[in-house]
Amino acid sequence: MQSNMNRRGFLRLSAGAAALASFSWTASHAGASKRPNVVVIVSDDHGRGDLGCYGNPVVQTPHLDALAAEGVRFTNAFCTTASCSASRSVILSGLYNHYNGQYGHEHSYHHFRSFDHVRSLPVLLTQAGYRTARIGKYHVAPEEVYRFDVALPGGSRSPVRMADNCKAFVASGDAKPFFLYFCMSDPHRGGGKAADLPHEPDRFGNRDQGYPGVKEVTYDPEEIVVPDYLPDIPECRAELAQYYQSVSRVDQGVGRLIEVLKQAGQYDNTIVIYISDNGIAFAGAKTTLYEPGMNLPCIVRTPWQKNKGIACDALVNYADLTPTILDFAGATPGDYEFHGRSFQPVLERRHADGWDTTYASHTFHEITMYYPMRVVRERRFKLIWNIAHGLEYPFASDLLESATWQGNLKRGNTRYGRRTIDAYLHRPRFELYDLQNDPHEVVNLADDPDHQARLNEMKARLKAFQEQTKDPWILKWEYE
């Protein structure tokens, strides 16, 4: 849900409007002989600043850079919740997770699950005549809600092999268009500590024997770009070097998948979307709704794009993905409501009027990490409502144990990047930031008398968002 929300409410489409959406696709892309295939590629914990096409001078992502050169790169794309399962539920439903029920992790004892009434993207596309397949990380439940026609085999840390395992599905002689949901576990933390390296960084999935078809790209910690929200200490540089290596593996998987599409003769009729589920797995990004946690890479390549290689500044979020893909497919249902809206109309624009506000809603990561936050973000100002502000900010287990966080503590540092450790752990009820003058979100204006009118206006917008998306946590305005 974006700007003009008080006028629009939910995206409401009658059967006639749905028919119009289908007609619009046909008219706009009359050169296409059939409905487009759609491939959605989701990486795990990949930050926006860690691709060449987004300005990183060190990390090697030539395939993603080439994809961006063929399409559009969004500079203001946001997840709505910086947690794996919860974010993926939004991607596949077009609904904020406070409404779809996937409040946090699906796996193990966390056991969060979406409500049965949710009609997900793969189910809607199947009903519209698409073949649907998923491969790699799934991480949502129940399967009846997020049902694909087929689950393809392939370890989610081996992206080139994953791409090869998609060949038969992509090259099928079936006349139906297809939807492929391709989800890697890189560059998520994992694989243990690299005890043979200085500072014993997390491996980020890297291993000595490598992965089939992948030419591992390694990085010198001294050459790493340390973002301002992280501490520039040797432990952090060592971990970022491992993270970069994992990002380059992601890139090679994307390159191989595009090659598979081309070899099958499908690339010229396929929409490719690349996103990350949330920010990088470091304190200050993942699990937070500060900019590094929610402002993410989003690259969209369509076969009919004329204005190629552009950067679009529209504020889009992951609740918009399902409506956009259904719009591409001419498959928008006439009897169902989404929280997002299609961003297909802005794909040829560098600047998009009417896309000036976005929202976020985070409640859990792990089951032990209850810390609900709601956010309204405009182009310049951002308001975070920390509903559980009386609690110390909770840590994901892997972030707490990370060499970066522990190394910073052992050094006796009182700051973590631009923010003090105390400010990171103990947050006020409201955080209001001027992103133009304070892009690092460290000067809280919520108690500034000169900004009270703006604070009250943004609080009102946040309440309206909660009302219109049926957020149960709206009660907290009165009770806490």
Side-chain angles (χ1 to χ4, degrees), residues 232-267:
D232 192 350
I233 59 176
E235 292 88 347
C236 185
R237 285 183 170 274
E239 292 210 301
L240 286 171
Q242 294 295 305
Y243 162 73
Y244 275 24
Q245 182 176 341
S246 192
V247 167
S248 287
R249 187 165 55 252
V250 165
D251 182 74
Q252 291 182 50
V254 172
R256 179 57 182 151
L257 181 59
I258 290 173
E259 186 179 1
V260 166
L261 291 168
K262 290 179 177 179
Q263 290 174 348
Q266 296 284 9
Y267 190 64

PDB file of all heavy atoms in Angstrom, residues 232-267:
ATOM      1  N   ASP A 232      33.885  -0.513  11.487  1.00  0.00           N
ATOM      2  CA  ASP A 232      35.038  -0.838  10.643  1.00  0.00           C
ATOM      3  C   ASP A 232      36.127  -1.443  11.526  1.00  0.00           C
ATOM      4  O   ASP A 232      37.092  -0.780  11.928  1.00  0.00           O
ATOM      5  CB  ASP A 232      35.544   0.399   9.915  1.00  0.00           C
ATOM      6  CG  ASP A 232      36.552   0.050   8.816  1.00  0.00           C
ATOM      7  OD1 ASP A 232      36.984  -1.120   8.765  1.00  0.00           O
ATOM      8  OD2 ASP A 232      36.907   0.938   8.025  1.00  0.00           O
ATOM      9  N   ILE A 233      35.952  -2.726  11.833  1.00  0.00           N
ATOM     10  CA  ILE A 233      36.902  -3.475  12.649  1.00  0.00           C
ATOM     11  C   ILE A 233      37.307  -4.721  11.869  1.00  0.00           C
ATOM     12  O   ILE A 233      36.596  -5.143  10.947  1.00  0.00           O
ATOM     13  CB  ILE A 233      36.304  -3.859  14.017  1.00  0.00           C
ATOM     14  CG1 ILE A 233      35.038  -4.702  13.840  1.00  0.00           C
ATOM     15  CG2 ILE A 233      36.017  -2.610  14.857  1.00  0.00           C
ATOM     16  CD1 ILE A 233      34.443  -5.210  15.138  1.00  0.00           C
ATOM     17  N   PRO A 234      38.432  -5.345  12.176  1.00  0.00           N
ATOM     18  CA  PRO A 234      38.882  -6.508  11.401  1.00  0.00           C
ATOM     19  C   PRO A 234      37.867  -7.650  11.354  1.00  0.00           C
ATOM     20  O   PRO A 234      37.734  -8.325  10.330  1.00  0.00           O
ATOM     21  CB  PRO A 234      40.170  -6.924  12.124  1.00  0.00           C
ATOM     22  CG  PRO A 234      40.669  -5.677  12.764  1.00  0.00           C
ATOM     23  CD  PRO A 234      39.453  -4.917  13.171  1.00  0.00           C
ATOM     24  N   GLU A 235      37.156  -7.870  12.455  1.00  0.00           N
ATOM     25  CA  GLU A 235      36.166  -8.946  12.471  1.00  0.00           C
ATOM     26  C   GLU A 235      35.063  -8.694  11.447  1.00  0.00           C
ATOM     27  O   GLU A 235      34.616  -9.621  10.761  1.00  0.00           O
ATOM     28  CB  GLU A 235      35.554  -9.079  13.867  1.00  0.00           C
ATOM     29  CG  GLU A 235      36.513  -9.580  14.927  1.00  0.00           C
ATOM     30  CD  GLU A 235      37.307  -8.462  15.594  1.00  0.00           C
ATOM     31  OE1 GLU A 235      37.300  -7.319  15.058  1.00  0.00           O
ATOM     32  OE2 GLU A 235      37.927  -8.721  16.630  1.00  0.00           O
ATOM     33  N   CYS A 236      34.612  -7.460  11.352  1.00  0.00           N
ATOM     34  CA  CYS A 236      33.562  -7.119  10.390  1.00  0.00           C
ATOM     35  C   CYS A 236      34.072  -7.262   8.960  1.00  0.00           C
ATOM     36  O   CYS A 236      33.377  -7.801   8.093  1.00  0.00           O
ATOM     37  CB  CYS A 236      33.067  -5.705  10.645  1.00  0.00           C
ATOM     38  SG  CYS A 236      31.673  -5.221   9.603  1.00  0.00           S
ATOM     39  N   ARG A 237      35.282  -6.804   8.698  1.00  0.00           N
ATOM     40  CA  ARG A 237      35.847  -6.930   7.361  1.00  0.00           C
ATOM     41  C   ARG A 237      35.996  -8.407   6.965  1.00  0.00           C
ATOM     42  O   ARG A 237      35.719  -8.786   5.824  1.00  0.00           O
ATOM     43  CB  ARG A 237      37.202  -6.223   7.285  1.00  0.00           C
ATOM     44  CG  ARG A 237      37.093  -4.702   7.237  1.00  0.00           C
ATOM     45  CD  ARG A 237      38.434  -4.020   7.096  1.00  0.00           C
ATOM     46  NE  ARG A 237      38.264  -2.599   6.817  1.00  0.00           N
ATOM     47  CZ  ARG A 237      38.093  -2.086   5.605  1.00  0.00           C
ATOM     48  NH1 ARG A 237      38.107  -2.887   4.544  1.00  0.00           N
ATOM     49  NH2 ARG A 237      37.936  -0.790   5.436  1.00  0.00           N
ATOM     50  N   ALA A 238      36.397  -9.227   7.920  1.00  0.00           N
ATOM     51  CA  ALA A 238      36.544 -10.654   7.628  1.00  0.00           C
ATOM     52  C   ALA A 238      35.200 -11.283   7.279  1.00  0.00           C
ATOM     53  O   ALA A 238      35.108 -12.104   6.359  1.00  0.00           O
ATOM     54  CB  ALA A 238      37.165 -11.363   8.833  1.00  0.00           C
ATOM     55  N   GLU A 239      34.153 -10.875   7.981  1.00  0.00           N
ATOM     56  CA  GLU A 239      32.835 -11.432   7.701  1.00  0.00           C
ATOM     57  C   GLU A 239      32.264 -10.888   6.392  1.00  0.00           C
ATOM     58  O   GLU A 239      31.637 -11.623   5.617  1.00  0.00           O
ATOM     59  CB  GLU A 239      31.880 -11.158   8.860  1.00  0.00           C
ATOM     60  CG  GLU A 239      32.260 -11.917  10.124  1.00  0.00           C
ATOM     61  CD  GLU A 239      31.073 -12.272  10.988  1.00  0.00           C
ATOM     62  OE1 GLU A 239      30.350 -11.342  11.412  1.00  0.00           O
ATOM     63  OE2 GLU A 239      30.871 -13.482  11.235  1.00  0.00           O
ATOM     64  N   LEU A 240      32.492  -9.630   6.117  1.00  0.00           N
ATOM     65  CA  LEU A 240      32.016  -9.069   4.853  1.00  0.00           C
ATOM     66  C   LEU A 240      32.705  -9.715   3.658  1.00  0.00           C
ATOM     67  O   LEU A 240      32.092  -9.888   2.597  1.00  0.00           O
ATOM     68  CB  LEU A 240      32.223  -7.555   4.836  1.00  0.00           C
ATOM     69  CG  LEU A 240      31.263  -6.730   5.698  1.00  0.00           C
ATOM     70  CD1 LEU A 240      31.716  -5.276   5.757  1.00  0.00           C
ATOM     71  CD2 LEU A 240      29.835  -6.819   5.171  1.00  0.00           C
ATOM     72  N   ALA A 241      33.968 -10.095   3.807  1.00  0.00           N
ATOM     73  CA  ALA A 241      34.665 -10.783   2.716  1.00  0.00           C
ATOM     74  C   ALA A 241      34.000 -12.119   2.419  1.00  0.00           C
ATOM     75  O   ALA A 241      33.833 -12.504   1.247  1.00  0.00           O
ATOM     76  CB  ALA A 241      36.139 -10.981   3.082  1.00  0.00           C
ATOM     77  N   GLN A 242      33.591 -12.841   3.451  1.00  0.00           N
ATOM     78  CA  GLN A 242      32.872 -14.095   3.254  1.00  0.00           C
ATOM     79  C   GLN A 242      31.504 -13.851   2.629  1.00  0.00           C
ATOM     80  O   GLN A 242      31.057 -14.584   1.739  1.00  0.00           O
ATOM     81  CB  GLN A 242      32.718 -14.821   4.591  1.00  0.00           C
ATOM     82  CG  GLN A 242      34.027 -15.291   5.204  1.00  0.00           C
ATOM     83  CD  GLN A 242      34.706 -16.355   4.361  1.00  0.00           C
ATOM     84  OE1 GLN A 242      34.129 -17.381   4.043  1.00  0.00           O
ATOM     85  NE2 GLN A 242      35.957 -16.101   3.991  1.00  0.00           N
ATOM     86  N   TYR A 243      30.838 -12.822   3.102  1.00  0.00           N
ATOM     87  CA  TYR A 243      29.519 -12.436   2.562  1.00  0.00           C
ATOM     88  C   TYR A 243      29.624 -12.083   1.077  1.00  0.00           C
ATOM     89  O   TYR A 243      28.822 -12.533   0.257  1.00  0.00           O
ATOM     90  CB  TYR A 243      28.983 -11.275   3.395  1.00  0.00           C
ATOM     91  CG  TYR A 243      27.874 -10.478   2.781  1.00  0.00           C
ATOM     92  CD1 TYR A 243      26.579 -10.991   2.672  1.00  0.00           C
ATOM     93  CD2 TYR A 243      28.104  -9.181   2.321  1.00  0.00           C
ATOM     94  CE1 TYR A 243      25.556 -10.228   2.121  1.00  0.00           C
ATOM     95  CE2 TYR A 243      27.092  -8.415   1.780  1.00  0.00           C
ATOM     96  CZ  TYR A 243      25.818  -8.944   1.677  1.00  0.00           C
ATOM     97  OH  TYR A 243      24.807  -8.188   1.127  1.00  0.00           O
ATOM     98  N   TYR A 244      30.620 -11.288   0.696  1.00  0.00           N
ATOM     99  CA  TYR A 244      30.817 -10.934  -0.708  1.00  0.00           C
ATOM    100  C   TYR A 244      31.011 -12.184  -1.572  1.00  0.00           C
ATOM    101  O   TYR A 244      30.495 -12.272  -2.692  1.00  0.00           O
ATOM    102  CB  TYR A 244      32.055 -10.039  -0.858  1.00  0.00           C
ATOM    103  CG  TYR A 244      31.852  -8.566  -0.637  1.00  0.00           C
ATOM    104  CD1 TYR A 244      30.804  -8.070   0.130  1.00  0.00           C
ATOM    105  CD2 TYR A 244      32.741  -7.644  -1.186  1.00  0.00           C
ATOM    106  CE1 TYR A 244      30.657  -6.702   0.337  1.00  0.00           C
ATOM    107  CE2 TYR A 244      32.608  -6.281  -0.983  1.00  0.00           C
ATOM    108  CZ  TYR A 244      31.567  -5.817  -0.220  1.00  0.00           C
ATOM    109  OH  TYR A 244      31.424  -4.469  -0.022  1.00  0.00           O
ATOM    110  N   GLN A 245      31.783 -13.134  -1.068  1.00  0.00           N
ATOM    111  CA  GLN A 245      32.008 -14.372  -1.826  1.00  0.00           C
ATOM    112  C   GLN A 245      30.678 -15.084  -2.077  1.00  0.00           C
ATOM    113  O   GLN A 245      30.428 -15.597  -3.177  1.00  0.00           O
ATOM    114  CB  GLN A 245      32.962 -15.289  -1.054  1.00  0.00           C
ATOM    115  CG  GLN A 245      33.290 -16.594  -1.793  1.00  0.00           C
ATOM    116  CD  GLN A 245      34.321 -17.442  -1.059  1.00  0.00           C
ATOM    117  OE1 GLN A 245      35.046 -16.944  -0.197  1.00  0.00           O
ATOM    118  NE2 GLN A 245      34.393 -18.715  -1.391  1.00  0.00           N
ATOM    119  N   SER A 246      29.823 -15.101  -1.076  1.00  0.00           N
ATOM    120  CA  SER A 246      28.512 -15.720  -1.219  1.00  0.00           C
ATOM    121  C   SER A 246      27.642 -14.946  -2.214  1.00  0.00           C
ATOM    122  O   SER A 246      26.894 -15.537  -2.996  1.00  0.00           O
ATOM    123  CB  SER A 246      27.835 -15.797   0.157  1.00  0.00           C
ATOM    124  OG  SER A 246      26.690 -16.614   0.135  1.00  0.00           O
ATOM    125  N   VAL A 247      27.736 -13.619  -2.202  1.00  0.00           N
ATOM    126  CA  VAL A 247      26.996 -12.796  -3.170  1.00  0.00           C
ATOM    127  C   VAL A 247      27.435 -13.131  -4.594  1.00  0.00           C
ATOM    128  O   VAL A 247      26.597 -13.244  -5.511  1.00  0.00           O
ATOM    129  CB  VAL A 247      27.213 -11.297  -2.875  1.00  0.00           C
ATOM    130  CG1 VAL A 247      26.719 -10.435  -4.038  1.00  0.00           C
ATOM    131  CG2 VAL A 247      26.499 -10.901  -1.582  1.00  0.00           C
ATOM    132  N   SER A 248      28.726 -13.305  -4.804  1.00  0.00           N
ATOM    133  CA  SER A 248      29.205 -13.638  -6.149  1.00  0.00           C
ATOM    134  C   SER A 248      28.720 -15.012  -6.597  1.00  0.00           C
ATOM    135  O   SER A 248      28.527 -15.245  -7.797  1.00  0.00           O
ATOM    136  CB  SER A 248      30.741 -13.564  -6.198  1.00  0.00           C
ATOM    137  OG  SER A 248      31.169 -12.216  -6.172  1.00  0.00           O
ATOM    138  N   ARG A 249      28.514 -15.909  -5.656  1.00  0.00           N
ATOM    139  CA  ARG A 249      27.931 -17.208  -6.005  1.00  0.00           C
ATOM    140  C   ARG A 249      26.472 -17.046  -6.430  1.00  0.00           C
ATOM    141  O   ARG A 249      26.013 -17.685  -7.377  1.00  0.00           O
ATOM    142  CB  ARG A 249      28.066 -18.175  -4.825  1.00  0.00           C
ATOM    143  CG  ARG A 249      27.644 -19.587  -5.133  1.00  0.00           C
ATOM    144  CD  ARG A 249      28.117 -20.586  -4.097  1.00  0.00           C
ATOM    145  NE  ARG A 249      27.712 -20.258  -2.738  1.00  0.00           N
ATOM    146  CZ  ARG A 249      28.533 -19.809  -1.792  1.00  0.00           C
ATOM    147  NH1 ARG A 249      29.815 -19.628  -2.067  1.00  0.00           N
ATOM    148  NH2 ARG A 249      28.092 -19.534  -0.581  1.00  0.00           N
ATOM    149  N   VAL A 250      25.742 -16.206  -5.732  1.00  0.00           N
ATOM    150  CA  VAL A 250      24.380 -15.874  -6.140  1.00  0.00           C
ATOM    151  C   VAL A 250      24.368 -15.382  -7.585  1.00  0.00           C
ATOM    152  O   VAL A 250      23.556 -15.813  -8.414  1.00  0.00           O
ATOM    153  CB  VAL A 250      23.780 -14.788  -5.211  1.00  0.00           C
ATOM    154  CG1 VAL A 250      22.529 -14.166  -5.826  1.00  0.00           C
ATOM    155  CG2 VAL A 250      23.452 -15.374  -3.842  1.00  0.00           C
ATOM    156  N   ASP A 251      25.278 -14.467  -7.882  1.00  0.00           N
ATOM    157  CA  ASP A 251      25.335 -13.875  -9.218  1.00  0.00           C
ATOM    158  C   ASP A 251      25.561 -14.937 -10.286  1.00  0.00           C
ATOM    159  O   ASP A 251      24.938 -14.898 -11.359  1.00  0.00           O
ATOM    160  CB  ASP A 251      26.450 -12.836  -9.261  1.00  0.00           C
ATOM    161  CG  ASP A 251      26.537 -12.136 -10.598  1.00  0.00           C
ATOM    162  OD1 ASP A 251      25.663 -11.292 -10.888  1.00  0.00           O
ATOM    163  OD2 ASP A 251      27.460 -12.467 -11.376  1.00  0.00           O
ATOM    164  N   GLN A 252      26.406 -15.897 -10.013  1.00  0.00           N
ATOM    165  CA  GLN A 252      26.662 -16.949 -10.997  1.00  0.00           C
ATOM    166  C   GLN A 252      25.433 -17.843 -11.185  1.00  0.00           C
ATOM    167  O   GLN A 252      25.171 -18.318 -12.295  1.00  0.00           O
ATOM    168  CB  GLN A 252      27.882 -17.766 -10.586  1.00  0.00           C
ATOM    169  CG  GLN A 252      29.171 -16.962 -10.692  1.00  0.00           C
ATOM    170  CD  GLN A 252      30.399 -17.767 -10.326  1.00  0.00           C
ATOM    171  OE1 GLN A 252      30.603 -18.875 -10.821  1.00  0.00           O
ATOM    172  NE2 GLN A 252      31.235 -17.212  -9.452  1.00  0.00           N
ATOM    173  N   GLY A 253      24.680 -18.056 -10.114  1.00  0.00           N
ATOM    174  CA  GLY A 253      23.436 -18.799 -10.253  1.00  0.00           C
ATOM    175  C   GLY A 253      22.439 -18.068 -11.126  1.00  0.00           C
ATOM    176  O   GLY A 253      21.757 -18.680 -11.969  1.00  0.00           O
ATOM    177  N   VAL A 254      22.355 -16.754 -10.960  1.00  0.00           N
ATOM    178  CA  VAL A 254      21.465 -15.951 -11.806  1.00  0.00           C
ATOM    179  C   VAL A 254      21.911 -16.029 -13.263  1.00  0.00           C
ATOM    180  O   VAL A 254      21.098 -16.199 -14.179  1.00  0.00           O
ATOM    181  CB  VAL A 254      21.439 -14.488 -11.320  1.00  0.00           C
ATOM    182  CG1 VAL A 254      20.670 -13.603 -12.307  1.00  0.00           C
ATOM    183  CG2 VAL A 254      20.801 -14.406  -9.931  1.00  0.00           C
ATOM    184  N   GLY A 255      23.213 -15.925 -13.484  1.00  0.00           N
ATOM    185  CA  GLY A 255      23.728 -16.007 -14.852  1.00  0.00           C
ATOM    186  C   GLY A 255      23.411 -17.334 -15.505  1.00  0.00           C
ATOM    187  O   GLY A 255      23.022 -17.388 -16.686  1.00  0.00           O
ATOM    188  N   ARG A 256      23.573 -18.423 -14.753  1.00  0.00           N
ATOM    189  CA  ARG A 256      23.276 -19.745 -15.312  1.00  0.00           C
ATOM    190  C   ARG A 256      21.785 -19.905 -15.592  1.00  0.00           C
ATOM    191  O   ARG A 256      21.404 -20.479 -16.616  1.00  0.00           O
ATOM    192  CB  ARG A 256      23.763 -20.828 -14.356  1.00  0.00           C
ATOM    193  CG  ARG A 256      23.477 -22.254 -14.845  1.00  0.00           C
ATOM    194  CD  ARG A 256      24.092 -22.523 -16.210  1.00  0.00           C
ATOM    195  NE  ARG A 256      23.787 -23.860 -16.691  1.00  0.00           N
ATOM    196  CZ  ARG A 256      23.700 -24.180 -17.972  1.00  0.00           C
ATOM    197  NH1 ARG A 256      23.907 -23.251 -18.915  1.00  0.00           N
ATOM    198  NH2 ARG A 256      23.431 -25.420 -18.327  1.00  0.00           N
ATOM    199  N   LEU A 257      20.924 -19.383 -14.729  1.00  0.00           N
ATOM    200  CA  LEU A 257      19.486 -19.489 -14.958  1.00  0.00           C
ATOM    201  C   LEU A 257      19.073 -18.729 -16.220  1.00  0.00           C
ATOM    202  O   LEU A 257      18.255 -19.224 -17.011  1.00  0.00           O
ATOM    203  CB  LEU A 257      18.734 -18.948 -13.745  1.00  0.00           C
ATOM    204  CG  LEU A 257      17.205 -19.013 -13.833  1.00  0.00           C
ATOM    205  CD1 LEU A 257      16.719 -20.449 -14.026  1.00  0.00           C
ATOM    206  CD2 LEU A 257      16.575 -18.390 -12.593  1.00  0.00           C
ATOM    207  N   ILE A 258      19.645 -17.582 -16.440  1.00  0.00           N
ATOM    208  CA  ILE A 258      19.336 -16.819 -17.659  1.00  0.00           C
ATOM    209  C   ILE A 258      19.822 -17.584 -18.891  1.00  0.00           C
ATOM    210  O   ILE A 258      19.153 -17.626 -19.922  1.00  0.00           O
ATOM    211  CB  ILE A 258      19.957 -15.410 -17.564  1.00  0.00           C
ATOM    212  CG1 ILE A 258      19.197 -14.598 -16.508  1.00  0.00           C
ATOM    213  CG2 ILE A 258      19.921 -14.707 -18.918  1.00  0.00           C
ATOM    214  CD1 ILE A 258      19.810 -13.264 -16.200  1.00  0.00           C
ATOM    215  N   GLU A 259      20.978 -18.217 -18.768  1.00  0.00           N
ATOM    216  CA  GLU A 259      21.479 -19.048 -19.867  1.00  0.00           C
ATOM    217  C   GLU A 259      20.527 -20.201 -20.159  1.00  0.00           C
ATOM    218  O   GLU A 259      20.266 -20.519 -21.327  1.00  0.00           O
ATOM    219  CB  GLU A 259      22.870 -19.575 -19.511  1.00  0.00           C
ATOM    220  CG  GLU A 259      23.558 -20.341 -20.628  1.00  0.00           C
ATOM    221  CD  GLU A 259      24.945 -20.813 -20.240  1.00  0.00           C
ATOM    222  OE1 GLU A 259      25.373 -20.558 -19.098  1.00  0.00           O
ATOM    223  OE2 GLU A 259      25.608 -21.454 -21.074  1.00  0.00           O
ATOM    224  N   VAL A 260      19.987 -20.828 -19.118  1.00  0.00           N
ATOM    225  CA  VAL A 260      19.008 -21.911 -19.295  1.00  0.00           C
ATOM    226  C   VAL A 260      17.767 -21.402 -20.016  1.00  0.00           C
ATOM    227  O   VAL A 260      17.233 -22.063 -20.925  1.00  0.00           O
ATOM    228  CB  VAL A 260      18.641 -22.520 -17.926  1.00  0.00           C
ATOM    229  CG1 VAL A 260      17.391 -23.394 -18.023  1.00  0.00           C
ATOM    230  CG2 VAL A 260      19.811 -23.325 -17.374  1.00  0.00           C
ATOM    231  N   LEU A 261      17.291 -20.225 -19.645  1.00  0.00           N
ATOM    232  CA  LEU A 261      16.127 -19.639 -20.312  1.00  0.00           C
ATOM    233  C   LEU A 261      16.418 -19.370 -21.786  1.00  0.00           C
ATOM    234  O   LEU A 261      15.578 -19.630 -22.660  1.00  0.00           O
ATOM    235  CB  LEU A 261      15.730 -18.335 -19.618  1.00  0.00           C
ATOM    236  CG  LEU A 261      15.152 -18.454 -18.203  1.00  0.00           C
ATOM    237  CD1 LEU A 261      15.082 -17.078 -17.544  1.00  0.00           C
ATOM    238  CD2 LEU A 261      13.758 -19.086 -18.235  1.00  0.00           C
ATOM    239  N   LYS A 262      17.602 -18.873 -22.077  1.00  0.00           N
ATOM    240  CA  LYS A 262      17.960 -18.585 -23.469  1.00  0.00           C
ATOM    241  C   LYS A 262      18.087 -19.866 -24.283  1.00  0.00           C
ATOM    242  O   LYS A 262      17.607 -19.936 -25.428  1.00  0.00           O
ATOM    243  CB  LYS A 262      19.259 -17.781 -23.512  1.00  0.00           C
ATOM    244  CG  LYS A 262      19.108 -16.348 -23.003  1.00  0.00           C
ATOM    245  CD  LYS A 262      20.434 -15.596 -23.044  1.00  0.00           C
ATOM    246  CE  LYS A 262      20.260 -14.148 -22.610  1.00  0.00           C
ATOM    247  NZ  LYS A 262      21.543 -13.395 -22.610  1.00  0.00           N
ATOM    248  N   GLN A 263      18.725 -20.879 -23.724  1.00  0.00           N
ATOM    249  CA  GLN A 263      18.896 -22.139 -24.444  1.00  0.00           C
ATOM    250  C   GLN A 263      17.561 -22.808 -24.744  1.00  0.00           C
ATOM    251  O   GLN A 263      17.413 -23.497 -25.755  1.00  0.00           O
ATOM    252  CB  GLN A 263      19.787 -23.074 -23.637  1.00  0.00           C
ATOM    253  CG  GLN A 263      21.251 -22.636 -23.580  1.00  0.00           C
ATOM    254  CD  GLN A 263      22.080 -23.502 -22.648  1.00  0.00           C
ATOM    255  OE1 GLN A 263      21.557 -24.302 -21.872  1.00  0.00           O
ATOM    256  NE2 GLN A 263      23.408 -23.341 -22.717  1.00  0.00           N
ATOM    257  N   ALA A 264      16.582 -22.571 -23.874  1.00  0.00           N
ATOM    258  CA  ALA A 264      15.252 -23.150 -24.081  1.00  0.00           C
ATOM    259  C   ALA A 264      14.382 -22.300 -25.009  1.00  0.00           C
ATOM    260  O   ALA A 264      13.239 -22.668 -25.290  1.00  0.00           O
ATOM    261  CB  ALA A 264      14.546 -23.312 -22.742  1.00  0.00           C
ATOM    262  N   GLY A 265      14.915 -21.170 -25.474  1.00  0.00           N
ATOM    263  CA  GLY A 265      14.146 -20.284 -26.341  1.00  0.00           C
ATOM    264  C   GLY A 265      13.045 -19.541 -25.618  1.00  0.00           C
ATOM    265  O   GLY A 265      12.077 -19.088 -26.241  1.00  0.00           O
ATOM    266  N   GLN A 266      13.180 -19.372 -24.291  1.00  0.00           N
ATOM    267  CA  GLN A 266      12.123 -18.756 -23.489  1.00  0.00           C
ATOM    268  C   GLN A 266      12.458 -17.339 -23.022  1.00  0.00           C
ATOM    269  O   GLN A 266      11.561 -16.612 -22.583  1.00  0.00           O
ATOM    270  CB  GLN A 266      11.848 -19.627 -22.251  1.00  0.00           C
ATOM    271  CG  GLN A 266      11.317 -21.005 -22.558  1.00  0.00           C
ATOM    272  CD  GLN A 266       9.851 -20.983 -22.952  1.00  0.00           C
ATOM    273  OE1 GLN A 266       9.257 -19.923 -23.159  1.00  0.00           O
ATOM    274  NE2 GLN A 266       9.246 -22.158 -23.072  1.00  0.00           N
ATOM    275  N   TYR A 267      13.697 -16.942 -23.140  1.00  0.00           N
ATOM    276  CA  TYR A 267      14.102 -15.673 -22.526  1.00  0.00           C
ATOM    277  C   TYR A 267      13.360 -14.482 -23.127  1.00  0.00           C
ATOM    278  O   TYR A 267      13.005 -13.539 -22.411  1.00  0.00           O
ATOM    279  CB  TYR A 267      15.605 -15.482 -22.680  1.00  0.00           C
ATOM    280  CG  TYR A 267      16.171 -14.316 -21.886  1.00  0.00           C
ATOM    281  CD1 TYR A 267      16.132 -14.313 -20.499  1.00  0.00           C
ATOM    282  CD2 TYR A 267      16.767 -13.230 -22.532  1.00  0.00           C
ATOM    283  CE1 TYR A 267      16.665 -13.269 -19.769  1.00  0.00           C
ATOM    284  CE2 TYR A 267      17.303 -12.180 -21.814  1.00  0.00           C
ATOM    285  CZ  TYR A 267      17.250 -12.200 -20.429  1.00  0.00           C
ATOM    286  OH  TYR A 267      17.778 -11.151 -19.715  1.00  0.00           O
TER     287      TYR A 267
END
